[in-house]
Amino acid sequence: MIHKQVVEVIHMSDFRLPGGTSHSVAEEVRAQAAAGMPSYLLHAPSDLVGKVAGWSPPIRSLLDLPHVRMLSPRAEVHARTVVVRHPTVVQTTPATFKGITADRVIMVANNAAVDNRGDYHYDVAEVDSKLTRMFGVRPTWAPIGPVVRETIAEQRVEVDLMQDNWFNVLDLGEVDSGRSGFVGDVPVIGRHSRPQAAKWPSTKREILAAYPRGDDFQVEILGGAQVVRSVIGWVPNSWNVINFGGESPEAFLRRIDFWVYFHHEDLREAYGRAIMEALAAGAVVILPEYLRETYGDAALYSTPAKVQDLVRSLYAAPQDYLAQSRRGQEFVKNFQPRMHVERMSALGVRSVEPGSESPSAPTPHLRWKPKKRVLFLTSNGAGMGHLTRLLSVATRLEGQAEPIFASLSMGAPVVAQYGIPFEYIGSSGAMSMETSPWNDLFKERFKRLLDDVQPDAFVFDGTWPYKGLMAVLRHRPVEKIWMRRAMWRPEVPGKQLDHAKFFDLIIEPGEFASDYDRGMTTNLTDAARVAPITLLSGDDVLSRTSARDELGYGQDDRVVLITLGAGNINDIGGLQSALLNWFTNNAPGWRVVMTKPPIAQGDSIHDIETLQVYPLARYTKAFDVAVSAAGYNAFHEWVAGDLPTLWVPNEATMTDDQVARVRWAADAGVGAQLESEDVNSVARALELMTQDSTLDLMREKLAALPKVNGAVEAARMIMGKRESL
């Protein structure tokens, strides 16, 4: 039985978001930490982050604060209060958090539900229903201001709506004591925002009215002017433009008199952190009229066309300017961290004694562990080999251990179809590295992953154990296993092999072509070698009749499978065209099927028959012949499945000796090698591979090979059954 522990507050959002959402969550959690209120951070991945990214710096800065902890998506806890931020995160997240329940859920609506065009940014009813299913209680909606409240009402959905607005916290320390005058000889107009089209007016007239060119005004822009260039075709020479992140907002705001903000007509600004920063700095803020209900007399309101007259009139009346500046600063004082602490106290959230831990904090060692837990980590790789190899082993633990996956491969979601929990960690190639070196980000993420999973054994499949990986593993008592592939190119140095001493066990997946291996690993005796590892074996592979029925192929069709890999590190387009042209002109009776693997990054292939399925090996017997890349996974699946194959070695791989692997297949008569990608070589190879006599001989030799799946033995070793060592 799993006993749920009780926690005070969970904050849930997509913590990769780079803007105001993450800043707002961070301010609230920081305020709670200072007041001794425990906070648990629950990450909900969403569609709002289009590229691979780590947690945003404001969130990462919280992780070492007192009373702040990450919460696993697999946690079994009951929360007194869950604070959820950003309705679109809820609507698009695939997370379910099945083990987490709550007494109260606050849905902080921090953006408009509907824009000025009438387009929905989120469906209020859907979000309300999803949160109810997720945590077992209907949420209370908390708009961050009157603009958002109005747009929620526009959807005409009955929700439990909080009477007061959930205004954002802005901890700016001590608000500036006040300005004494203007900063320049002419009025200085400024604005700072992210370089997004929605943050700027959509017309040349409005942009140049609000942010004039010429010598009468000085215009300062922080955040870049790419949008301006796209709208009007140029950027005024008189503007001083600084790219986003090129200067701190605090320093920037000290250099301006008037902070002017007008945006695209479709946008409804819910709450502007930038607006509050400008008010706190003492700049006089000029906004669209609809924001008066939010900021009252703290700001001035205008249209773009009237901005210059308004600025001139205040510049000519310094005392009026200073009075307006002070009103803005007084307004900001209402939104200091104490406001959030007071509202959380009103919700019944309790503080703990200074220096102590929360009495309800989950103790990691109290987590219920029914069986041995194994954490599998795969590197990124050029294909699906690392991921598929470990999945082959994990699916053969046969209920004796609980597998959990983490992977740097974008193909990681295929693990879910086997009922295994997984987490995707962006690789150095996929992740934007604007803030920290990748190894630092990985080290932090991996450390917290180990804290969460608490595995009994850790299995890594990859050529290079990362610096961040080794730094964390050195200090962990977990059993460390390295699934280290053989068949290295002879010229590749073996410096990374020195990492072997940090592992308790090294498992080497077998190679049909092991006699042709001339790489560095052949000089070592530190690995336990098993038979070739494949995801499927025996009855896992469909019969020819069943496979063709499922794929819709006729039983008498002649079908060739062309599967040249993801194409992420080598250009396969020219070869695909050559293959297609040959079949079209010389073998029109053949049915040509091409694959697109789960991690392929290029466009889909048009006007030809394609197949995208995982695992593809399940349908091996549906094909008469294959033209295939020679990575570990494909090579061993097709050889084990007795599929005659024309092999195309990828010589761009850093380590894998695919040329040697293919040379063995050709010499053994179980396959053929494409010697060159020129038209004549392609023609000779396909003429050979479409002859019945060639295919019959290959099938005969393939059938004679021993077919033992090394995944079974590897699983036994991971479970500690190592009689064969």
Side-chain angles (χ1 to χ4, degrees):
M1 179 179 178
I2 297 177
H3 298 283
K4 284 193 176 182
Q5 294 168 313
V6 178
V7 301
E8 287 291 327
V9 183
I10 295 173
H11 287 268
M12 172 187 137
S13 190
D14 187 334
F15 295 139
R16 303 167 300 169
L17 293 169
T21 297
S22 290
H23 281 286
S24 298
V25 172
E27 297 281 21
E28 292 181 0
V29 172
R30 199 174 294 279
Q32 289 176 211
M37 292 179 173
S39 299
Y40 291 81
L41 304 180
L42 183 62
H43 173 58
S46 74
D47 291 349
L48 289 175
V49 181
K51 65 179 181 179
V52 180
W55 284 18
S56 66
I59 299 297
R60 288 166 49 213
S61 70
L62 304 172
L63 298 178
D64 293 321
L65 291 178
H67 314 302
V68 177
R69 296 179 179 85
M70 286 175 58
L71 191 64
S72 165
R74 296 174 292 278
E76 294 282 344
V77 300
H78 181 80
R80 292 193 171 96
T81 301
V82 177
V83 179
V84 182
R85 188 172 282 268
H86 214 310
T88 309
V89 168
V90 177
Q91 186 162 318
T92 63
T93 185
T96 56
F97 310 126
K98 294 180 180 179
I100 302 175
T101 52
D103 291 330
R104 178 192 298 109
V105 174
I106 307 296
M107 177 66 256
V108 179
N110 59 305
N111 64 319
V114 185
D115 63 25
N116 285 335
R117 292 182 303 180
D119 293 338
Y120 283 22
H121 290 290
Y122 53 87
D123 186 310
V124 172
E126 182 180 340
V127 173
D128 195 78
S129 176
K130 191 171 182 179
L131 281 174
T132 303
R133 295 192 305 271
M134 191 177 283
F135 296 114
V137 61
R138 195 172 185 191
T140 298
W141 285 71
I144 65 168
V147 172
V148 176
R149 183 178 293 274
E150 180 183 340
T151 66
I152 291 173
E154 285 180 29
Q155 292 200 17
R156 298 183 179 181
V157 176
E158 272 196 35
V159 296
D160 182 7
L161 196 62
M162 188 174 283
Q163 184 174 358
D164 296 325
N165 292 319
W166 190 279
F167 290 113
N168 285 331
V169 174
L170 191 69
D171 185 5
L172 298 174
E174 290 297 322
V175 176
D176 191 288
S177 58
R179 298 194 175 202
S180 58
F182 299 109
V183 299
D185 296 332
V186 296
V188 181
I189 294 173
R191 57 167 286 157
H192 66 300
S193 69
R194 290 189 166 272
Q196 299 168 340
K199 296 292 188 180
W200 284 88
S202 62
T203 68
K204 174 181 176 180
R205 176 179 294 180
E206 289 183 327
I207 290 174
L208 294 180
Y211 312 101
R213 53 181 168 165
D215 298 331
D216 293 342
F217 302 90
Q218 173 62 38
V219 173
E220 298 282 336
I221 305 294
L222 175 58
Q226 301 95 316
V227 176
V228 174
R229 189 179 300 279
S230 69
V231 173
I232 68 177
W234 46 274
V235 176
N237 292 330
S238 60
W239 288 10
N240 180 36
V241 179
I242 303 168
N243 287 331
F244 183 78
E247 185 178 10
S248 71
E250 294 81 9
F252 172 78
L253 290 166
R254 284 195 292 268
R255 298 191 291 101
I256 67 169
D257 300 310
F258 299 89
W259 195 86
V260 178
Y261 180 56
F262 289 91
H263 51 70
H264 197 284
E265 65 270 14
D266 291 339
L267 176 67
R268 293 192 194 183
E269 191 70 75
Y271 164 92
R273 179 181 178 85
I275 297 174
M276 295 291 281
E277 289 172 340
L279 290 169
V284 167
V285 172
I286 302 176
L287 302 171
E289 178 63 38
Y290 79 91
L291 287 171
R292 185 185 296 274
E293 190 175 0
T294 301
Y295 296 100
D297 65 0
L300 300 177
Y301 305 92
S302 175
T303 63
K306 296 179 179 179
V307 164
Q308 295 178 42
D309 288 342
L310 181 57
V311 168
R312 285 192 184 98
S313 66
L314 277 174
Y315 196 75
Q319 294 307 313
D320 291 345
Y321 172 87
L322 293 175
Q324 182 60 44
S325 170
R326 287 191 291 273
R327 278 194 289 272
Q329 290 183 311
E330 289 300 315
F331 177 82
V332 172
K333 291 179 181 178
N334 296 319
F335 302 94
Q336 295 282 35
R338 65 176 181 274
M339 175 190 72
H340 180 68
V341 173
E342 290 169 359
R343 72 184 169 203
M344 296 305 288
S345 296
L347 291 173
V349 176
R350 301 174 299 177
S351 298
V352 297
E353 293 297 323
S356 69
E357 292 298 323
S358 167
S360 61
T363 303
H365 297 292
L366 295 180
R367 284 191 62 193
W368 181 65
K369 291 174 62 174
K371 58 187 72 172
K372 184 171 183 174
R373 182 175 292 144
V374 182
L375 175 61
F376 294 90
L377 173 70
T378 83
S379 67
N380 187 23
M384 296 284 289
H386 297 290
L387 187 64
T388 298
R389 194 157 43 244
L390 285 193
L391 190 56
S392 306
V393 176
T395 54
R396 286 168 174 82
L397 294 174
E398 297 180 344
Q400 299 177 57
E402 176 189 3
I404 297 170
F405 265 68
S407 179
L408 277 64
S409 169
M410 288 186 286
V414 300
V415 173
Q417 70 190 63
Y418 292 86
I420 299 174
F422 74 94
E423 294 191 24
Y424 170 62
I425 303 173
S427 66
S428 58
M431 186 178 292
S432 170
M433 303 311 300
E434 298 171 355
T435 54
S436 303
W438 179 83
N439 263 296
D440 291 346
L441 293 174
F442 176 82
K443 178 181 176 181
E444 179 183 294
R445 184 69 188 88
F446 182 58
K447 176 181 178 295
R448 298 186 186 280
L449 181 63
L450 286 178
D451 290 341
D452 169 27
V453 175
Q454 299 178 60
D456 300 290
F458 166 74
V459 185
F460 171 69
D461 192 309
T463 305
W464 288 81
Y466 315 114
K467 185 189 302 182
L469 173 70
M470 301 310 300
V472 176
L473 284 180
R474 280 189 183 96
H475 307 291
R476 296 292 179 134
V478 63
E479 183 179 21
K480 306 166 186 69
I481 301 169
W482 184 5
M483 183 81 75
R484 190 188 67 200
R485 193 185 59 211
M487 214 76 192
W488 287 24
R489 296 165 64 134
E491 69 274 16
V492 175
K495 183 178 180 180
Q496 63 267 43
L497 295 173
D498 293 341
H499 290 307
K501 61 180 176 287
F502 295 107
F503 289 88
D504 302 303
L505 173 66
I506 297 172
I507 300 175
E508 182 180 293
E511 289 270 359
F512 283 116
S514 58
D515 289 346
Y516 282 49
D517 190 351
R518 299 293 182 267
M520 287 292 296
T521 62
T522 59
N523 301 321
L524 304 175
T525 59
D526 59 352
R529 295 177 173 85
V530 298
I533 291 178
T534 55
L535 181 58
L536 304 181
S537 56
D539 293 339
D540 297 331
V541 180
L542 293 174
S543 68
R544 179 181 175 88
T545 299
S546 297
R548 290 203 162 193
D549 284 346
E550 281 199 19
L551 296 177
Y553 305 159
Q555 296 301 323
D556 296 326
D557 288 350
R558 306 201 75 188
V559 185
V560 56
L561 174 71
I562 299 177
T563 176
L564 300 179
N568 296 335
I569 64 170
N570 62 318
D571 183 8
I572 59 177
L575 177 57
Q576 285 179 337
S577 296
L579 294 167
L580 285 171
N581 288 337
W582 188 89
F583 275 101
T584 300
N585 297 323
N586 300 280
W590 281 77
R591 183 170 187 166
V592 180
V593 179
M594 281 193 176
T595 62
K596 183 179 179 184
I599 65 170
Q601 296 173 4
D603 295 332
S604 298
I605 304 165
H606 298 287
D607 301 324
I608 61 172
E609 187 171 355
T610 59
L611 179 65
Q612 184 168 3
V613 63
Y614 186 91
L616 181 59
R618 175 175 164 82
Y619 301 95
T620 301
K621 297 185 186 302
F623 309 105
D624 296 290
V625 64
V627 181
S628 177
Y632 185 95
N633 183 40
F635 187 86
H636 291 91
E637 294 287 2
W638 301 150
V639 171
D642 298 339
L643 179 61
T645 303
L646 173 62
W647 294 107
V648 183
N650 180 2
E651 299 185 45
T653 58
M654 292 179 61
T655 308
D656 193 24
D657 194 354
Q658 295 190 14
V659 173
R661 192 178 284 137
V662 170
R663 192 183 306 120
W664 170 83
D667 291 349
V670 297
Q673 177 178 358
L674 183 64
E675 299 290 347
S676 168
E677 296 185 13
D678 66 76
V679 174
N680 292 331
S681 294
V682 169
R684 286 193 300 271
L686 292 180
E687 285 170 2
L688 176 70
M689 293 300 295
T690 51
Q691 294 177 13
D692 289 338
S693 58
T694 300
L695 299 181
D696 289 343
L697 183 58
M698 283 187 184
R699 292 190 190 101
E700 181 181 334
K701 293 191 174 185
L702 284 164
L705 292 174
K707 307 288 173 49
V708 177
N709 193 339
V712 176
E713 182 64 13
R716 287 175 57 83
M717 291 179 182
I718 291 169
M719 290 302 298
K721 301 172 183 177
R722 302 175 188 167
E723 301 89 341
S724 59
L725 294 180

